[in-house]
Amino acid sequence: MRTSGDRAALSRRGMLKNSAVTVGTAAVGLGAARPAHAAEPARPVTATARMGGTSITLSLVAGALRWSAARRGRTVIDSSELGLRLSDGTVLGTDVTVTRQRLCANRRTWTPVYGRNATVTDHYQEQQWDLRDTATGIRFGVRARAYKSGVALRYVLLDEGTVSLSDELTSFTFPEGTTVYSARDENAYVPLAPGEIPVTGTASTDNGPLTDLPLTATLSDGLIACVCESSRLNFPRLMLSSVPGRPDTLAAFLMEHTARGTGPVETTTTVTTPFATPWRAVVIGSTHAELVDNAELVLNLAPENALDDTSWIKPGKVFRCELSTAAGLAGVDFAVDRGLEYIEYDAGWYGPEFSTPDATKPIAAIDLPSVVSYATSKGIGVFLYVNRLALTDADALFGLYKSWGVAGVKLGFINDGTRSMTDRITEWARTAATYRLLIDMHDDVRPFGYERTYPNYISLEGVRGNEQFPTAAHNVTLPFARNIGGPMDYTICYGQSRNKTTNAHQMAMAAVYYQPLNFLFWYDKPSKYANPANWPGLPWFNTVPVTWDESRTLAGAIGEYIAVARRAGDTWYLGAMTNEDGRTLQLPLSFLGGGSYTATVYADGTPGTSPFRTPVVVSTRTVTADTTLDVAMAPAGGQAIVLRPS
């Protein structure tokens, strides 16, 4: 076991670099253990899983594990290292033998409680390698899956007992000329080369050239890929790191700190074996639009729904109320009028959130029983915000909220990273389910498919939020990056003068983004919309759903533009958004059924002195499946279109 001094002398980045060098020398037959008179090394052992033109290959080269992935013969991930480092310094993956090899396939469909589509197809081919480490005899394995929508791999520790891990040595070597979209914490995405991730972090956080997941890469031949994780249980969160001297490679980095440096440092993770590590998924698109439609790969890799009864889980739209009884009652009326399902009391409803560890007593200004009773009588649910400082006994707190008639909790400043924080997040979701509470996890958290396992874990943040008034380019990056990993709470700010985008752009978010818990009218009061004639976009928000029967991405380019059509029942909702460049998209409506449809179009009018001052112009027309729409968008603009059968 290394001491803290040893660990300081050999940084995580150094270990990643050194492990890469070790594997590389073994791969060309230069390992020091091989005597000079040894026979020629055996040919590499390879096994490939294939599905729908996508492939993932496992290789054993001079005893060292490697992997690669391709889409229709084009490289997505070039030959890259595999391995695990134990806390005693043992490395699994540099000198192993294959003891068993199996190829299997699976095809089935399943029905999510809510989602992008009413049914999901889980169709893959999987290569399974059982392995033995030559030096220690430790048994472990690698599972590699190919889907039409991408590839995934994970490690399996096969011996019974416990194992203490310090690092995962998976690397991702991209083809030359790749650009990755890097972001850490809640910063904006920055396009750069894999080897140019900036050094970030502080003395109390993980420090180095690190980037969070999901991490999207555009390849020079037109392919696009997004690295995600799924099924992260009893394990730290994954980041990726640049590797010195290897400009096209990113390497796995298991977080030792929470994202913002709160909580104890955890340099190792002890697991009970047999144990399967999280899936490392690469969602792949032949086009940028296809990548968005392939996001359900993350869900297919996650454990199945653990809840027997999900009838109480209702996705919906939410309005945040000011902190008074009157504001709560008015919020309920506003929710009824505007077709919303929930209201929420945010930070401060029980006192200053960072100095009040008791979230069981509302402030004097809020008669919470009256608000909850009134909301319930109107069919509106109530969410309550809770800072992590007040989560010392989640079981008691959630039980209390259930007795009050609360529908859900929004947990704030939940900064994951360590294995302990993963355990707490998953336990909070499970505990909330016990009391039939929805849960929205906020601040520096990242998706890992857990909304399939516990569908009450309905949303999470982990993104530079819309309440920070980001650029239009940021907004049209997210569908290809953060939103690929899972649901995204993005607080739509329709009608905000501080927006750097048009109101039609904000409206389109409700169809473009996948967010089954959709906070609307952030920063606003109901009185602002007292005269609906001043706000022509309100009918769109009244009717647009948050969960869908079918979704199709019609066009897109990361950081430039996006157009998505989603169906609920027999009605389609189409959202289109552009960056700071105005543009017109030609969008065929071939996805429509037979007959004619009435298209209600909410479009940008003549650009104003700022994007916010660009008016929303409403028009209607008749369209069919043979129609091609010209979707014109102002700079930082968009369109929102409802397509109803005539």
Side-chain angles (χ1 to χ4, degrees):
M1 187 78 174
R2 287 192 300 275
T3 66
S4 59
D6 295 334
R7 195 167 186 87
L10 183 60
S11 70
R12 290 287 292 272
R13 295 186 302 283
M15 284 190 277
L16 288 169
K17 180 180 178 181
N18 292 341
S19 68
V21 171
T22 301
V23 175
T25 56
V28 294
L30 300 178
R34 185 179 298 279
H37 61 276
E40 288 295 317
R43 291 182 179 179
V45 178
T46 64
T48 300
R50 296 180 174 87
M51 184 60 62
T54 303
S55 64
I56 181 170
T57 298
L58 298 176
S59 302
L60 196 63
V61 184
L65 275 173
R66 303 185 73 85
W67 75 290
S68 60
R71 183 67 178 271
R72 302 196 185 283
R74 294 181 288 171
T75 298
V76 177
I77 303 295
D78 212 340
S79 182
S80 301
E81 296 83 9
L82 292 172
L84 297 169
R85 187 188 299 273
L86 309 187
S87 59
D88 64 2
T90 299
V91 173
L92 303 179
T94 57
D95 189 4
V96 299
T97 55
V98 178
T99 60
R100 187 181 181 191
Q101 177 179 328
R102 299 179 300 283
L103 177 67
C104 62
N106 178 79
R107 181 184 175 90
R108 69 187 185 100
T109 59
W110 57 278
T111 302
V113 178
Y114 51 84
R116 302 170 180 89
N117 296 286
T119 60
V120 178
T121 299
D122 186 12
H123 188 197
Y124 63 83
Q125 190 178 75
E126 179 176 295
Q127 283 286 355
Q128 302 178 0
W129 272 11
D130 291 352
L131 305 157
R132 185 181 298 276
D133 178 65
T134 301
T136 65
I138 293 174
R139 297 185 309 121
F140 70 109
V142 179
R143 307 293 184 254
R145 285 186 185 177
Y147 291 79
K148 181 180 179 181
S149 55
V151 300
L153 60 85
R154 74 191 317 181
Y155 303 93
V156 182
L157 294 162
L158 298 170
D159 291 322
E160 293 187 0
T162 60
V163 172
S164 183
L165 300 165
S166 63
D167 284 291
E168 180 179 329
L169 304 179
T170 309
S171 67
F172 301 78
T173 298
F174 296 98
E176 186 177 356
T178 293
T179 296
V180 299
Y181 287 75
S182 171
R184 181 169 181 179
D185 298 332
E186 293 180 5
N187 295 324
Y189 282 92
V190 178
L192 35 69
E196 296 175 354
I197 306 296
V199 174
T200 53
T202 67
S204 62
T205 65
D206 291 312
N207 196 295
L210 298 169
T211 182
D212 280 319
L213 301 185
L215 184 283
T216 299
T218 56
L219 283 55
S220 59
D221 62 0
L223 293 176
I224 185 169
C226 186
V227 181
C228 303
E229 66 176 342
S230 186
S231 192
R232 185 196 348 136
L233 300 171
N234 309 122
F235 213 71
R237 187 172 112 192
L238 178 69
M239 298 180 78
L240 296 178
S241 171
S242 293
V243 179
R246 302 182 64 187
D248 299 315
T249 297
L250 294 174
F253 183 96
L254 301 181
M255 294 179 68
E256 298 179 351
H257 303 75
T258 55
R260 289 177 174 140
T262 56
V265 178
E266 300 176 14
T267 59
T268 62
T269 295
T270 299
V271 298
T272 300
T273 55
F275 179 82
T277 67
W279 287 102
R280 299 348 186 164
V282 183
V283 184
I284 303 169
S286 295
T287 65
H288 292 213
E290 185 186 48
L291 177 76
V292 179
D293 286 343
N294 286 344
E296 287 169 333
L297 173 62
V298 175
L299 288 181
N300 273 328
L301 295 165
E304 295 183 9
N305 178 15
L307 303 180
D308 293 331
D309 179 15
T310 60
S311 61
W312 54 275
I313 297 175
K314 306 293 185 184
K317 295 170 283 190
V318 194
F319 177 72
R320 179 181 67 161
C321 301
E322 293 186 305
L323 302 178
S324 71
T325 303
L329 298 175
V332 171
D333 292 337
F334 181 72
V336 172
D337 291 343
R338 298 269 69 87
L340 313 181
E341 286 73 29
Y342 300 99
I343 64 165
E344 187 239 4
Y345 279 128
D346 212 274
W349 73 267
Y350 57 86
E353 62 172 320
F354 287 107
S355 59
T356 310
D358 183 1
T360 66
K361 299 182 178 76
I363 59 175
I366 300 176
D367 181 353
L368 193 58
S370 293
V371 174
V372 173
S373 176
Y374 184 65
T376 302
S377 73
K378 298 290 186 177
I380 302 298
V382 176
F383 267 76
L384 296 178
Y385 174 93
V386 181
N387 184 282
R388 69 171 187 273
L389 298 179
L391 280 170
T392 53
D393 188 346
D395 186 74
L397 188 66
F398 294 170
L400 178 65
Y401 289 172
K402 179 62 177 178
S403 73
W404 289 354
V406 169
V409 290
K410 174 181 170 182
L411 304 184
F413 292 92
I414 307 303
N415 304 316
D416 71 348
T418 61
R419 184 268 180 79
S420 292
M421 282 306 300
T422 297
D423 291 350
R424 292 183 74 183
I425 287 168
T426 53
E427 180 58 30
W428 286 329
R430 290 192 293 268
T431 302
T434 300
Y435 295 103
R436 297 195 165 196
L437 292 175
L438 302 181
I439 193 164
D440 179 16
M441 211 79 67
H442 249 240
D443 292 286
D444 205 335
V445 290
R446 289 295 181 276
F448 54 97
Y450 207 57
E451 68 273 17
R452 178 184 181 185
T453 313
Y454 281 86
N456 64 305
Y457 183 14
I458 196 167
S459 192
L460 64 156
E461 191 178 22
V463 67
R464 184 171 185 81
N466 195 45
E467 73 277 3
Q468 300 184 55
F469 309 110
T471 65
H474 176 75
N475 292 338
V476 293
T477 298
L478 297 179
F480 309 94
R482 165 62 183 83
N483 215 187
I484 298 294
M488 182 175 73
D489 185 350
Y490 202 55
T491 56
I492 293 176
C493 298
Y494 172 70
Q496 268 295 316
S497 61
R498 291 173 286 177
N499 283 338
K500 298 183 179 72
T501 67
T502 71
N503 282 330
H505 182 104
Q506 294 285 321
M507 293 170 62
M509 291 177 179
V512 168
Y513 297 145
Y514 172 56
Q515 39 188 2
L517 194 70
N518 193 350
F519 280 76
L520 300 178
F521 311 110
W522 195 255
Y523 292 122
D524 289 332
K525 304 176 185 179
S527 59
K528 177 174 177 176
Y529 303 101
N531 185 355
N534 294 333
W535 303 101
L538 289 179
W540 162 265
F541 287 119
N542 286 3
T543 60
V544 66
V546 296
T547 186
W548 310 95
D549 294 317
E550 184 179 358
S551 295
R552 299 193 182 198
T553 304
L554 308 180
I558 187 169
E560 297 182 34
Y561 61 90
I562 179 80
V564 179
R566 302 189 193 271
R567 180 178 61 82
D570 59 4
T571 301
W572 287 86
Y573 298 82
L574 194 162
M577 299 158 60
T578 185
N579 61 8
E580 284 67 23
D581 296 329
R583 72 182 76 236
T584 298
L585 301 177
Q586 282 77 42
L587 301 179
L589 301 184
S590 54
F591 56 86
L592 294 177
S596 62
Y597 287 70
T598 299
T600 303
V601 180
Y602 301 86
D604 294 313
T606 302
T609 55
S610 68
F612 165 75
R613 297 188 182 281
T614 299
V616 174
V617 177
V618 185
S619 63
T620 60
R621 59 174 293 189
T622 300
V623 299
T624 70
D626 295 325
T627 303
T628 295
L629 282 182
D630 289 333
V631 177
M633 296 176 284
Q639 277 199 24
I641 304 170
V642 183
L643 299 154
R644 289 190 177 91
S646 299

